[in-house]
Amino acid sequence: LATRVGLLPARDRVVRTIDTGGAGPITALLEARRMVLNENCQAVAVVAGDAVASMDTASFLQRADAGVSPPETVGKVQRLNTPVIPHGYSRCTEWHMGTYQAT
C-alpha cells in the first residue's frame, strides 16, 4: 500500500507489517508507542487492512495461526490447536481462574 501511494521507497521512513489476528489493533498501537519512545519517530501512521473475505477458511486459519505461533526452532513449547487465537484466550482464562479462584 505504501509503495502504491508513493510513500516508499524512502530513506526516512520505517514500515512494519504486524499480523496478530484479533489483537492486531492493540499490537499496532503498542508498536507505534514503542517507535516513538525508542526509535525517535516523530509521527506514526497505523494503517489496517482485512483480507478475510478474500481467503478460504483453511487459508485464513493457517495465516492467523502462523502469526501467533512460536517458530519451529523453539524447544519444548506446548503448541495450541487451531484456531490458535481463541485457544490462547481460553488457556489464559483457565490459568487466571485457577490462579485467582475466579469464576
Side-chain angles (χ1 to χ4, degrees):
L1 177 63
T3 302
R4 182 104 184 211
V5 298
L7 293 173
L8 293 175
R11 289 183 168 195
D12 63 342
R13 294 187 182 99
V14 177
V15 177
R16 295 211 170 91
T17 299
I18 299 173
D19 188 3
T20 54
I26 294 169
T27 304
L29 291 172
L30 290 171
E31 179 64 13
R33 179 181 184 272
R34 192 190 67 71
M35 291 172 75
V36 169
L37 293 175
N38 299 326
E39 295 182 33
N40 201 31
C41 292
Q42 295 177 356
V44 178
V46 176
V47 181
D50 193 348
V52 175
S54 66
M55 293 186 216
D56 61 85
T57 302
S59 297
F60 172 75
L61 288 174
Q62 182 181 14
R63 182 125 182 239
D65 288 355
V68 294
S69 297
E72 294 296 325
T73 57
V74 175
K76 297 180 179 183
V77 174
Q78 184 181 4
R79 300 194 183 280
L80 295 168
N81 294 327
T82 192
V84 171
I85 293 169
H87 280 102
Y89 286 137
S90 177
R91 182 180 289 177
C92 292
T93 302
E94 289 172 10
W95 173 85
H96 187 272
M97 290 172 65
T99 300
Y100 299 103
Q101 288 75 49
T103 57

